Amino acid sequence: MGFTLLDERKARDAVEALEKEYSGARYYLSFSTPIDLVAAAIISAQTRDETVNALTPALFKRYRTAREYANADPEELTAMIRRVSFAGAKAKNIIATCRTIDERYGGKVPDKMDALVELPGIGRKTANTILINAYGIVEGIPVDTWVMKLSSRIGLSESGKPEEIERDLMKVVEKRHWHNLAYVMKSHGKKVCQSKVPLCSKCLISRLCPRNGVTRSG
Ligand code: SF4
């Protein structure tokens, strides 16, 4: 089956309709400070938001600064997040990342993309997430699995690579929507454009969407 890429006008209409429908969509992980967000974002890989949000209050109470995480006992930190997948590796990444933040940036989470993506366990998606939600700096669009899936189905990007998808989206999505596009798409994915069987008959953009890769729909 071929792939249909939406033209720019239809792409803008589709995104505009979704933005309007899910105007209340917000970032889903709880945090108070940038360092909380770094820890929560590392823990959240391949983990349900509810699981992350259930365990982070105790974590944020135990470790308040980059230095406290940097000096954490790996076993204790791993035990605190043991309910998530790859807990040991994530604990190691949190400690290594916070050590760099403490030593190189005086304990302040960097507010530059180049600096963030050099930290262990922080890719471009997480860096965008930190910039947007901790600092209100919008440089790009966080591309998570929902954004990847929906961008393909809707015909906003033909690529399977997050960085190329981000580039394609930045061409067709107005900048004022970049900060919450991932959360809008996630809301639509959970409610309507569901992973296994999307509910196309109930979808507000069904007339625009080419439904790339959809073999069964409700
Ligand atoms: S539910 Fe169907 S029509 Fe709506 S965005 Fe998903 S694939 Fe497209």
Side-chain angles (χ1 to χ4, degrees):
M1 211 163 79
F3 186 96
T4 303
L5 200 61
L6 284 192
D7 65 40
E8 205 171 310
R9 190 185 56 79
K10 283 187 181 162
R12 278 176 195 260
D13 287 351
V15 170
E16 206 59 57
L18 292 174
E19 286 283 347
K20 220 170 170 182
E21 176 74 7
Y22 303 100
S23 58
R26 296 283 177 271
Y27 186 51
Y28 29 84
L29 295 182
S30 312
F31 69 98
S32 302
T33 67
I35 204 73
D36 288 351
L37 178 53
V38 167
I42 291 174
I43 293 166
S44 73
Q46 295 171 51
T47 303
R48 287 163 58 85
D49 313 328
E50 297 79 7
T51 307
V52 179
N53 286 336
L55 64 81
T56 46
L59 194 72
F60 297 162
K61 215 167 158 192
R62 176 75 178 85
Y63 307 102
R64 293 169 203 267
T65 63
R67 182 160 300 176
E68 286 181 10
Y69 278 112
N71 292 332
D73 170 31
E75 281 182 17
E76 186 190 346
L77 182 51
T78 303
M80 288 192 81
I81 62 171
R82 67 182 179 282
R83 285 169 52 202
V84 307
S85 54
F86 311 110
K90 289 174 180 176
K92 255 192 207 162
N93 277 338
I94 293 171
I95 292 171
T97 286
C98 289
R99 186 165 296 139
T100 305
I101 292 172
D102 184 45
E103 290 172 358
R104 202 180 296 167
Y105 302 104
K108 182 181 181 295
V109 177
D111 59 2
K112 298 276 183 295
M113 176 64 77
D114 292 357
L116 284 167
V117 293
E118 280 186 4
L119 298 170
I122 307 276
R124 194 174 158 91
K125 180 199 83 174
T126 304
N128 267 321
T129 301
I130 292 168
L131 288 176
I132 290 169
N133 295 290
Y135 295 121
I137 296 170
V138 184
E139 243 184 59
I141 298 169
V143 175
D144 60 14
T145 49
W146 280 113
V147 175
M148 289 177 77
K149 186 177 279 292
L150 268 67
S151 296
S152 169
R153 284 180 174 172
I154 299 171
L156 303 175
S157 174
E158 197 172 353
S159 176
K161 295 181 184 159
E163 294 203 2
E164 291 177 7
I165 294 170
E166 183 183 356
R167 225 172 26 234
D168 290 342
L169 290 173
M170 285 162 74
K171 281 185 208 145
V172 293
V173 177
E174 284 184 62
K175 192 165 183 189
R176 67 194 169 96
H177 295 317
W178 292 5
H179 72 285
N180 72 339
L181 186 72
Y183 320 131
V184 165
M185 285 205 174
K186 182 174 188 159
S187 301
H188 188 57
K190 284 188 146 185
K191 196 172 162 199
V192 182
C193 193
Q194 295 170 6
S195 204
K196 287 194 180 130
V197 183
L199 307 175
C200 300
S201 63
K202 295 186 179 148
C203 181
L204 79 163
I205 57 167
S206 62
R207 281 195 299 172
L208 293 165
C209 178
R211 305 175 199 188
N212 292 307
V214 174
T215 50
R216 208 152 55 93
S217 65

